[in-house]
Amino acid sequence: MLGRSSLSRSGSFRPENLGQNALAMIGNLCFTLFVLGVLIFTIIAATYQPEDPLFHPSTKITNFLVSTSNATFQSDNTVTRTGEDFMASNQTVFADFLNITDVSVPAIASTIAECEGDFDKPIDCTDPDIFHLMMTYAIEQFKDIHFYRFGKPVPGSNTSTCDMAWRFRPKEGKTAAFYKDYRRFVITRNDNCNFTVTGVGEYHTGVNARKRKKNQKGFEKNRQKKAETTAASLPVFGEDVNDTLPVVESEGSFSRGKYLIYSGGGDRCKSMNQYLWSFLCALGEAQYLNRTLVMDLTLCLSSIYASSNQDEEGKDFRFYFDFEHLKESASVLDQNQFWDDWSKWQKKDKLNLHLVEDFRVTPMKLSEVKDSLIMRKFGSVEPDNYWYRVCEGETESVIQRPWHLIWKSKRLMDIVSEIASKMNWDFDSVHVERGEKAKNTQLWPNLATDTSPESLISSLRDKIEDGRNLYIATNEPDTSFFDPLKDKYTTHFLDDYKVLWDENSEWYAETTKLNGGNPVEFDGYMRVSVDTEVFLRGKKQIETFNDLTSDCKDGINTCRAST
């Protein structure tokens, strides 16, 4: 046996067998490397947490979220850009603004006898001459805005006041939007019987000229033509907000409908950028399938925006975004209302549910589904449970995210408008980022020095004229830090206007009502949203990393990567 074994082993090393043996060894080695590679990949996939919450973002989201004009504010813990930010400001050129020469000169009484006995009569706000007088005064008084339309004056609080509304844009406005204001004018009759405007109130004082929208009832299925029309519209800030929830009026209309709902997933409590990127994937799929999106109006505010430094549940979509615009432009329903209706009519009308538990099932494969409800259910393993994964791969070229449907909350934008109006829309702005970055001298070695009051005065000397209104958007908690700038500029900060969201404000009253009678905190995301938007309305805008310091926004040696 030993002899045969030795012969067998020696035979395997014969010259004619070497090629076969080499191939076998190479095959075994390749198989070993393959198994090792699979093992390493599995370990990485199970433990890897991407730095960017948008795992492997496409070029579309990169181009959308990166701004060249607003670079200072672009990061996950600041405000995300929405649809109205990408409308070209020249979309409003169709509306010619009004000049003083477009207003007729009021008639002048030729003799005292013409108005004898009229001195004690109330001012007739419907008189065309009064209307022209008020328009003339407004155009002359507010020189930094373009007037596009005036509303008819109505009686004010007493016999010598009239309220009038108008629609306008700041002359140097960089956003495609209209603003609405309504003010109270004080009008007196002179000894020569002519009228004079002797004063005008603050922003939104002419409350009797405020046009209130009627509550909308019923539910309208989305139509492509309607969506296209709304896409071309422009936001108007300063009008009443009607963001009541849409409802289905009858069993028949509900049972004939087709619905899509996303359930679960790991997007919750992530940054607002990720929330919108995922939500708009769902909305885009619903539009592609011609279905109503059943949406959860309650959000989880990420800890990066919360004063408690903890994730906070129970926030309302309407606190941050314009639900009125969304519901008028797309087919959406609140999920609480939907499930109430579903439980009432599902068995009776034989409504079926089609469950999808794999994000790799594309919308194209669901286009022929006849069931009333398609539910995408997402698991607990991140990042495969992110909603936006549905829109990756081949779907990316098919599903178009409807960015034009998401605008910022008009309630927040009204605060922006009022702050800008209190500065007569005639101000410059500077963003000063300090905080933790200024303390980290390894990544930002010059930031603390470059944003000191002395350096700011030097940097702004050739950029902003002395005496100007200067709005300072900053994360520096103690605004007295900037007191040395008061010798050269009239400085303004966000907290100078906190009366606009305190317990006596309109914002507070409306959000409390939305929140079931519970007060709403003006949270970190709201603060930075308003702060950013006011900054963007400055005539000149000075940014931290573009203009004040040579440090890179994301730390040393990252400037090229940040642009």
Side-chain angles (χ1 to χ4, degrees), residues 93-148:
V93 296
F94 64 86
D96 294 331
F97 64 86
L98 298 172
N99 286 307
I100 194 70
T101 54
D102 298 321
V103 182
S104 301
V105 178
I108 299 176
S110 58
T111 65
I112 299 296
E114 290 185 20
C115 62
E116 187 174 359
D118 292 342
F119 285 100
D120 296 329
K121 288 185 178 180
I123 299 295
D124 182 7
C125 298
T126 63
D127 186 338
D129 287 344
I130 299 295
F131 183 27
H132 294 157
L133 181 68
M134 293 169 65
M135 284 193 291
T136 301
Y137 185 87
I139 293 173
E140 291 178 339
Q141 182 76 11
F142 306 109
K143 298 183 181 299
D144 286 286
I145 64 176
H146 284 315
F147 292 89
Y148 284 88

Side-chain angles (χ1 to χ4, degrees), residues 24-42:
M25 291 177 64
I26 293 173
N28 291 335
L29 179 62
C30 290
F31 180 75
T32 301
L33 292 174
F34 172 75
V35 172
L36 183 62
V38 170
L39 180 61
I40 293 172
F41 177 81
T42 302

Side-chain angles (χ1 to χ4, degrees), residues 438-455:
K439 297 176 184 177
N440 189 337
T441 56
Q442 290 186 332
L443 290 179
W444 295 276
N446 305 301
L447 182 60
T449 301
D450 290 341
T451 56
S452 67
E454 296 76 17
S455 295

Side-chain angles (χ1 to χ4, degrees), residues 63 123 192 216 227 279 349 378 394 436 486 496 549:
N63 293 336
I123 299 295
N192 62 359
Q216 298 173 346
F279 173 75
D349 295 339
F378 296 82
E394 61 177 313
E436 294 302 317
K486 292 181 178 180
D496 293 345
T549 182

Side-chain angles (χ1 to χ4, degrees), residues 225-238:
K225 181 177 180 181
K226 181 182 178 184
E228 292 173 352
T229 300
T230 309
S233 65
L234 296 170
V236 179
F237 304 120

